[in-house]
Amino acid sequence: MAHPDVVVFPGAGSFGGEFKELLAALDPAAWMVRYPGRYGKDFGTPAASFEDAVAACADQVLRRASAAPLLVGHSFGAYVAYAAAARLAEQDHAVAGLVALGATAPHLVTVDEAALRGLPETAAYLESVDPRLLPDDGSDGWREVVVEAARGDLLLLKEFTAAPHRKVGCPVAVAYGASDPLVTGAGAAAWTEATGGDCTWRVFPGGHSDLLSSPETTAWLGEVRRRAAE
């Protein structure tokens, strides 16, 4: 059986650069969803709600994935991928599996209210989670673009935390960094409550996003992908 497509869902404020190595290793059947409004005016406006963002991503999967895909989400992206997996199942489109990176179980996730007060507070929050989430402060304004996108994503995530959560039927594999401030062992293990399938988890060295550029993570994800094809 052919290995499934790998569909990547980036984290809050991310434009996907942190997935460059992972996507290259899994090429050619690996690609990244485009969140509404994230890539310029030609792609439309930001999603008006969390469910709108999920619908847009699910539609991309329906258009591009010829068979049951493996959905891989980091942080905020893990929750979009999880909700997209449930939506795709409702549309009779099978999902081979869900991989949640740096994300606690859906029913445990919370949004730091202080991070939503304004862009400076959002930037401070991102710095506290992982300083590498933000680009260096330069004259091109890129840092401000990322912070504004991240604040928008966190506002959407707040809607998600208040919504009832559906179970997915596919297997779920969870990975997080040992020093990730957003995930604990209990939070990773609690993903078992989000699926009717198998749930496994793995701890890697480092913080919130270190695992995204780790060869160990890429190798592990390759194993998850192979198991999903069995």
Side-chain angles (χ1 to χ4, degrees):
M1 183 176 179
H3 290 167
D5 281 7
V6 174
V7 185
V8 171
F9 293 69
S14 169
F15 285 74
E18 67 275 21
F19 283 102
K20 182 178 179 180
E21 295 175 20
L22 189 149
L23 288 169
L26 297 174
D27 187 68
W31 51 276
M32 188 162 51
V33 297
R34 301 178 70 182
Y35 296 144
R38 185 59 55 89
Y39 292 89
K41 294 180 180 178
D42 62 326
F43 196 64
T45 57
S49 68
F50 184 83
E51 281 301 317
D52 284 349
V54 170
C57 293
D59 286 347
Q60 292 171 55
V61 173
L62 288 170
R63 291 197 305 269
R64 293 192 58 176
S66 58
L70 180 67
L71 308 186
V72 179
H74 177 239
S75 197
F76 164 78
Y79 305 116
V80 182
Y82 157 75
R87 186 181 183 90
L88 288 165
E90 291 168 358
Q91 297 175 316
D92 295 323
H93 189 94
V95 173
L98 171 67
V99 177
L101 305 173
T104 197
H107 65 284
L108 297 178
V109 66
T110 59
V111 176
D112 188 336
E113 291 291 338
L116 302 178
R117 291 174 186 159
L119 296 181
E121 288 80 7
T122 302
Y125 169 75
L126 295 176
E127 290 277 5
S128 70
V129 172
D130 186 342
R132 294 184 306 170
L133 294 176
L134 284 175
D136 294 334
D137 195 8
S139 59
D140 59 359
W142 184 241
R143 181 183 176 94
E144 289 75 14
V145 171
V146 172
V147 173
E148 186 172 358
R151 184 173 184 272
D153 290 341
L154 291 174
L155 286 168
L156 296 183
L157 185 60
K158 187 176 179 181
E159 294 179 22
F160 172 79
T161 63
H165 300 310
R166 298 160 286 187
K167 278 195 173 185
V168 295
C170 63
V172 174
V174 184
Y176 66 100
S179 56
D180 189 334
L182 300 184
V183 191
T184 63
W191 273 94
T192 56
E193 298 182 36
T195 178
D198 294 335
C199 183
T200 58
W201 51 94
R202 173 83 178 268
V203 184
F204 290 95
H208 186 60
S209 58
D210 290 301
L211 75 170
L212 300 181
S213 57
S214 165
E216 292 181 346
T217 305
T218 301
W220 170 79
L221 186 56
E223 288 296 326
V224 172
R225 188 188 192 191
R226 280 189 284 276
R227 289 198 301 269
E230 294 175 355

